[in-house]
Amino acid sequence: MNKLQNYLMGRLLLAAMASQSTIAAPSDQAAHTEEGAQHANEKQHSEADHTEDESDRAEEVGHEDHEEEEPDLTFSVELLRDFGGEIATAEAGVIRQQVSLPGEVKLNEEAVAHITPRFAAKIVEVQAKTGDRVKAGDVLAVAESSETLSRFQLKSLIDGVVIKRHVTLGEHLAPDDIAFTVANLSTLWVDIALYPKQVPLVETGQPVRITTSHGPAPVETRLNYVAPLVDEGTRTGLARVFLANPDNDWKPGMFIEGQITLGEFPAAVVAPRTAVIDLEGQPTIFVQHDGSWEPRPAKLGRGDSDSVEILAGLDAGERYVAKGGFVLKAQLQKSEFESGHNH
């Protein structure tokens, strides 16, 4: 620009002396010079805008890559097991149609003995008390006949436990008075109430799971008896289990829940309910893939109390976290939080 200004000043000084023709050439040169300067200026602006656009696009790509990047869950199988996790291989299984019904543990009435005197008598000696374990033939008390004054023994009729003692020393008994009740507690009855809509569905031999909120571990067994009649007062039916009780863990009077399996349905892939983790409202299963654990959305089908059918998200033969997926969920959420915070 300085050269152009100097040139114009010189042109003005020579205007009075030069002819019109000598003035025309410099005028054309100035026009070309001015046009070149404008073109150079526009080129610089264009290059600057192009550089800014490329910078913006690079930044946007960086953001997209950052947002799409998934945390790498590379927990080892051993570490997951240290946290109580379990790893399984997906396979086919069975889903059970179940119904849960209330019930109660009761004495096996076929294993209870009532000890009575043969004739009217007075108790002159008592040898057993409530809670005593006795054998068949053990003497429980000695009585004296009211007519002959001869003495005779009251003996247990079965092996079991004295659950009731109805006599005291010197008490007079009639032949139909019960002196002792002895029960064999090695087997008990579990009576399950059937509501009207379950009565036609429940049959002898169906699988049943007996559980109690406070007491022994659950028992898997089968129904031994279904009553042919319903109770006239409650209109409920009755299903019964003959429960083995070798360690006396189950006690008559306990309330229980009976899960009766009414039917079974095969499924291509079945997983325990503990494998399904809620991840932002989406059922998710952690599946082993390329050395890490991939959180896969799962589509669930039918289920029972323990297992669920997997319609999508887990294929037969794949290894997955069957229990303890909460550890991976926590790590995933931690990584996402740190990623968002750094961003």
Side-chain angles (χ1 to χ4, degrees):
M1 289 298 294
N2 291 334
K3 290 181 178 181
L4 180 60
Q5 290 174 353
N6 292 334
Y7 174 77
L8 292 175
M9 290 294 293
R11 182 170 173 266
L12 292 173
L13 293 173
L14 295 173
M17 300 169 57
S19 65
Q20 191 70 28
S21 59
T22 57
I23 300 173
S27 177
D28 292 339
Q29 183 178 356
H32 285 296
T33 304
E34 185 174 324
E35 182 179 353
Q38 182 178 358
H39 179 70
N41 189 35
E42 289 176 354
K43 183 177 180 181
Q44 290 176 352
H45 281 295
S46 176
E47 290 178 351
D49 292 341
H50 181 69
T51 302
E52 290 180 359
D53 290 342
E54 288 185 346
S55 176
D56 291 341
R57 281 197 296 270
E59 185 176 355
E60 289 176 0
V61 171
H63 282 304
E64 291 175 359
D65 291 344
H66 183 71
E67 290 173 357
E68 294 176 358
E69 183 181 355
E70 290 287 347
D72 193 15
L73 302 176
T74 55
F75 271 59
S76 68
V77 172
E78 291 73 17
L79 183 58
L80 283 172
R81 286 173 176 162
D82 288 342
F83 281 98
E86 295 178 5
I87 311 302
T89 301
E91 58 185 3
V94 172
I95 299 298
R96 297 174 175 82
Q97 179 190 358
Q98 296 175 316
V99 59
S100 295
L101 298 168
E104 183 180 354
V105 180
K106 295 185 175 182
L107 289 172
N108 177 357
E109 294 181 5
E110 297 173 353
V112 176
H114 300 289
I115 314 303
T116 61
R118 289 174 292 173
F119 30 76
K122 181 178 75 172
I123 301 299
V124 295
E125 186 178 341
V126 178
Q127 298 185 7
K129 61 183 182 298
T130 301
D132 284 352
R133 294 186 176 275
V134 296
K135 298 287 187 180
D138 285 354
V139 176
L140 307 180
V142 177
E144 182 181 82
S145 171
S146 300
E147 294 183 359
T148 64
L149 300 181
S150 60
R151 295 190 173 189
F152 61 93
Q153 298 174 330
L154 300 179
K155 298 180 180 181
S156 177
L157 304 177
I158 61 172
D159 296 350
V161 177
V162 177
I163 60 172
K164 289 183 180 179
R165 181 184 119 175
H166 302 279
V167 296
T168 58
L169 190 63
E171 184 176 356
H172 288 268
L173 300 179
D176 56 352
D177 288 337
I178 298 175
F180 298 90
T181 301
V182 178
N184 187 328
L185 303 179
S186 62
T187 59
L188 299 171
W189 286 354
V190 177
D191 286 358
I192 301 172
L194 305 179
Y195 298 122
K197 65 180 180 180
Q198 278 96 39
V199 169
L201 303 177
V202 176
E203 300 175 353
T204 301
Q206 288 177 331
V208 59
R209 188 171 190 252
I210 307 298
T211 61
T212 181
S213 56
H214 303 287
V219 172
E220 303 282 349
T221 182
R222 292 184 178 271
L223 295 178
N224 300 105
Y225 170 76
V226 176
L229 304 175
V230 298
D231 186 274
E232 294 183 359
T234 62
R235 302 301 173 186
T236 57
L238 171 67
R240 178 173 292 159
V241 170
F242 300 153
L243 181 64
N245 189 36
D247 299 322
N248 293 314
D249 292 330
W250 295 89
K251 312 295 182 185
M254 282 182 172
F255 290 112
I256 62 93
E257 182 179 87
Q259 289 183 332
I260 301 174
T261 299
L262 303 177
E264 296 183 344
F265 307 95
V269 178
V270 173
R273 287 193 174 274
T274 53
V276 182
I277 302 297
D278 186 295
L279 196 60
E280 297 181 355
Q282 170 66 55
T284 302
I285 296 178
F286 288 97
V287 183
Q288 194 173 41
H289 179 71
D290 291 339
S292 63
W293 299 101
E294 177 185 352
R296 287 191 195 167
K299 183 178 180 182
L300 308 182
R302 290 173 294 191
D304 53 36
S305 59
D306 299 318
S307 305
V308 63
E309 179 184 18
I310 308 299
L311 299 177
L314 179 65
D315 296 327
E318 290 187 305
R319 284 167 62 82
Y320 66 99
V321 179
K323 182 181 179 182
F326 65 90
V327 176
L328 295 175
K329 176 182 177 180
Q331 180 62 26
L332 180 63
Q333 292 176 332
K334 177 176 177 291
S335 298
E336 290 177 347
F337 173 79
E338 292 176 347
S339 176
H341 181 73
N342 292 333
H343 172 65

